[in-house]
Amino acid sequence: METPAVTVDHCTRAYGDFVAVNDVSLEIRQGEFFTLLGSSGSGKTTTLRMIAGFERPDAGRILIGGHDVTWQPAHRRNVHTVFQDYALFPHMTVFNNVAFSLRVKRHSRDDLRKSVMEAIEMVQLAGFEKRKPTQLSGGQQQRVALARALVDHPSVLLLDEPLSALDAKIRGEVREELKTLQRNTGITFIYVTHDQEEALTLSDRMAIMRHGKVLQVGPPLQVYEQPADLFVAEFIGKANFVPGVLKSVEGKKAIVQANGSTVGASVLSPIEIGSNVVVMIRPENMRITAAESAAGTIKQSSYLGHGTEYLIDHGSDVFRALQLRRRGEVPLPEGAKVECHWNWEEAIVFRK
């Protein structure tokens, strides 16, 4: 079995009475793009800082490549960090920013130039070597920070919200480049973000954190389609939630009494009959059918290009439905009467 690139072994970190990371354990595989996803205060950045060596755990161990580095200082770990604010030297050129760590390690002039130019080309900044950071766009500055972190081929690259300062269009472009860069280099990337879309599109696997604990670890598809609990279901993506009472379970199919009618959903873990529950249906799994006698009314119709998102007033519930666009189809207008339904296999029941 291959040794994990990074192991976080039952780590806890507190600041006075505030426990930022609470008994967290993770195994991050060699060469994977792993994301720590959570809102502010979830513990994701503190976990990253413990891996980097900027913080020491109060309990537990950090291993890199199977070696215990818990008490090693940051500069002795073969790990580099890309920060949210880039941390570039404003008085240095692009070349000298990227070359900085190699000069500290006293690389020969020829090796240094070769490595720096390879790193600059890798991030598509060839021709920008003599510019200062102030002469670059935000996206270009971020690429310089990446080149500087990758120039001496660390075993692990840590990225702390690296795209948050960029505008939406540039953020999308750099995000695609990041994934390509990780695939081409084979370096293990550990990425911290609060942005669900970033986590879903970039990650091989992701960990959802809340209040210093890890709630779920898995590939994006698994986390999105099989959330571990109601919090993860609410946190990842958009969804409809229907409260009710669990009436019966047969195999994986649950029947829930909700708002005077019964609805079906799949059950992922044991729940006692009679429990208060919530049925989750993703908007793309919600089916709508136009009918004059239907109980639902479209309150809002939003054309998105690839499809149309509807907000539907359905008695005591408001449902969100997403219909992918088919050529020649005309979106339903606001005020149209529709019926909402779903396949039970595509809905999940959670304990409330």
Side-chain angles (χ1 to χ4, degrees), residues 51-267:
I51 296 169
F54 302 138
E55 302 272 356
R56 286 205 176 102
D58 299 315
R61 302 183 304 157
I62 302 290
L63 289 82
I64 295 176
H67 301 290
D68 191 335
V69 298
T70 310
W71 298 100
Q72 278 189 7
H75 70 271
R76 294 192 58 194
R77 306 182 186 196
N78 190 21
V79 169
H80 288 330
T81 306
V82 177
F83 298 99
Q84 181 177 339
D85 61 358
Y86 318 138
L88 300 177
F89 299 110
H91 62 287
M92 290 186 182
T93 62
V94 168
F95 185 96
N96 289 331
N97 263 285
V98 176
F100 183 79
S101 65
L102 300 185
R103 287 206 169 100
V104 170
K105 295 176 181 178
R106 298 183 180 277
H107 281 236
S108 70
R109 180 178 295 181
D110 289 345
D111 284 348
L112 182 146
R113 179 163 187 81
K114 181 174 181 290
S115 297
V116 170
M117 292 309 298
E118 284 177 354
I120 288 174
E121 288 170 10
M122 191 188 305
V123 297
Q124 302 176 41
L125 283 180
F128 290 76
E129 305 91 273
K130 296 181 180 180
R131 295 196 189 185
K132 301 280 184 68
T134 53
Q135 297 173 301
L136 303 175
S137 68
Q140 289 167 340
Q141 289 181 42
Q142 187 56 270
R143 292 183 180 97
V144 176
L146 281 167
R148 185 178 61 183
L150 292 168
V151 69
D152 58 349
H153 307 287
S155 59
V156 180
L157 184 65
L158 309 175
L159 302 106
D160 187 9
E161 304 253 17
L163 309 184
S164 60
L166 304 178
D167 64 46
K169 183 176 184 297
I170 300 299
R171 190 161 63 238
E173 292 173 1
V174 178
R175 187 168 64 203
E176 291 174 0
E177 291 168 11
L178 261 183
K179 192 161 188 173
T180 301
L181 197 59
Q182 194 273 331
R183 294 290 187 264
N184 290 343
T185 61
I187 293 171
T188 302
F189 279 28
I190 304 177
Y191 191 93
V192 160
T193 185
H194 64 276
D195 188 303
Q196 301 166 28
E197 186 178 346
E198 280 182 16
L200 290 169
T201 55
L202 287 170
S203 312
D204 294 315
R205 289 189 306 144
M206 55 199 288
I208 311 301
M209 296 191 69
R210 183 192 189 203
H211 298 331
K213 286 186 170 292
V214 173
L215 302 184
Q216 185 172 2
V217 178
L221 181 66
Q222 182 188 77
V223 174
Y224 183 81
E225 295 199 350
Q226 299 176 32
D229 60 21
L230 188 56
F231 174 82
V232 177
E234 292 173 333
F235 186 70
I236 295 290
K238 296 177 180 179
N240 299 289
F241 296 97
V242 180
V245 176
L246 184 63
K247 304 304 290 183
S248 66
V249 177
E250 185 174 338
K252 290 187 176 182
K253 183 176 183 179
I255 299 299
V256 175
Q257 186 78 32
N259 299 325
S261 61
T262 57
V263 297
S266 57
V267 61

Side-chain angles (χ1 to χ4, degrees), residues 322-348:
L322 174 64
Q323 285 197 325
L324 294 180
R325 179 180 177 274
R326 299 286 186 273
R327 186 171 180 82
E329 283 185 353
V330 178
L332 293 169
E334 293 176 0
K337 304 291 286 184
V338 293
E339 202 63 63
C340 299
H341 49 96
W342 60 85
N343 295 332
W344 70 266
E345 298 97 331
E346 295 179 326
I348 304 173

